[in-house]
Amino acid sequence: MRNLKINLLDKNKEYVLDNPIPDIDELTATPEELAIHKQHNDDVTKVVCIMVTTMVPELKKFFEDYWLYEMSLDLDEKFHNKARQEKYEVLNSFMTCKLKEGEYVCVHVQKMQRYVERLEKLNVTFNKELVINMVLISLHTSYDQFILTYYLNNTETALTQLHNLLQTAESGMKKTHVPSLKIAFVLAINHYRGIKRKENAQPIWKAKAHTGAYSSRLKGKAHSDILVVSDPKEATCFHCNEKGH
C-alpha cells in the first residue's frame, strides 16, 4: 500500500484510494460531471488492476471482484490491528531500551536505530532531536559527563554522528578505568610477596618447645599409622595408645 500510494501520488491519482466513485444521474448530470465521473472510473480500474496483479495468490483470488475503495477498506480492516499491535510493541521496546553495564554502546545505538526505522515503516514519525534525546536518556550513568558536555557544546548531530562520538567516549572511559601494565605488575608482585611472607612466617604455637612425657609421646606418635575404626570401643587413643577412649 505504501509503494502504491507513492506511485499514485506521482501521477496525482491518490484520491481513488480514499474516495468511492460517486453516483450520478446520467440524464441530469452536466457534461463536466460526466467527464469527472468517467475519469474517476478509469483511474479506479487501472489502480485495481495494479493492486490485484501484485498481490499474493490468496489475496488475488479474494479481491478480484472488488472495487478499489471497498478493497482498500477491507485490507485496512484485515491488517491494521496487526500493525497497531506491532507499533505498540516496538515503541515500548524503544522507550524502555537501556544501555546495560558492560554492553558495547555501538550495539546499543544500532538496536535503537533499528527500532526507529521499524516505527517509521509503521507510519510513526520521529523528530531528529527527539531520537537523539531518547538515545542519550537510555545511556548508563557512566556517560553523564559526556551528556553534560554534549549539551554544553550546544551541538546538533545526526544519529550516526552521535554514534561515532559515543564510541570515542567509550574508548576513553576504558583507558581511564584499566590500570597500566606497569601498575598491574607492581600490584601483582606486592601481592605475591605478601603471600610468601605469610607462608614463611612461623606460627606462634610452633615457637614454644614441648616438654615432659606428653611431649615425647606426641613426637613418638607423629609419624605412626593409627587405623581409623567405626566402633569407638575399638578406637586407639592418639595420645596414650590405649583402646576404648
Side-chain angles (χ1 to χ4, degrees), residues 116-177:
V116 172
E117 292 173 354
R118 184 57 190 161
L119 288 169
E120 288 178 346
K121 290 182 179 180
L122 294 171
N123 296 325
V124 179
T125 56
F126 282 98
N127 181 277
K128 181 180 71 173
E129 185 178 358
L130 177 61
V131 174
I132 296 296
N133 289 333
M134 291 292 294
V135 172
L136 293 176
I137 290 172
S138 69
L139 296 177
H140 193 263
T141 54
S142 57
Y143 287 87
D144 287 349
Q145 183 61 44
F146 171 85
I147 297 173
L148 178 62
T149 306
Y150 178 84
Y151 282 113
L152 287 177
N153 291 335
N154 197 25
T155 55
E156 293 186 5
T157 59
L159 188 57
T160 53
Q161 294 171 323
L162 178 66
H163 188 184
N164 295 332
L165 292 175
L166 286 171
Q167 283 185 294
T168 304
E170 182 183 50
S171 301
M173 286 188 291
K174 286 182 178 180
K175 290 179 181 179
T176 56
H177 284 85

Side-chain angles (χ1 to χ4, degrees), residues 53-67:
T53 53
T54 55
M55 286 179 175
V56 294
E58 292 79 7
L59 291 178
K60 183 183 298 184
K61 184 176 180 180
F62 183 81
F63 286 114
E64 61 183 356
D65 295 327
Y66 273 62
W67 277 103

Side-chain angles (χ1 to χ4, degrees), residues 202-236:
Q202 187 177 12
I204 297 175
W205 64 271
K206 284 188 177 181
K208 297 180 180 180
H210 296 285
T211 58
Y214 171 75
S215 175
S216 61
R217 288 199 303 270
L218 184 61
K219 291 180 180 178
K221 296 298 179 182
H223 300 288
S224 64
D225 295 327
I226 300 176
L227 297 176
V228 179
V229 295
S230 59
D231 188 0
K233 294 181 180 180
E234 297 297 325
T236 302

Side-chain angles (χ1 to χ4, degrees), residues 182-218:
K182 183 177 180 181
I183 296 175
F185 179 76
V186 171
L187 291 175
I189 291 297
N190 289 337
H191 178 67
Y192 176 77
R193 286 175 178 173
I195 293 175
K196 294 298 286 184
R197 283 198 297 270
K198 291 179 182 178
E199 289 177 352
N200 295 331
Q202 187 177 12
I204 297 175
W205 64 271
K206 284 188 177 181
K208 297 180 180 180
H210 296 285
T211 58
Y214 171 75
S215 175
S216 61
R217 288 199 303 270
L218 184 61

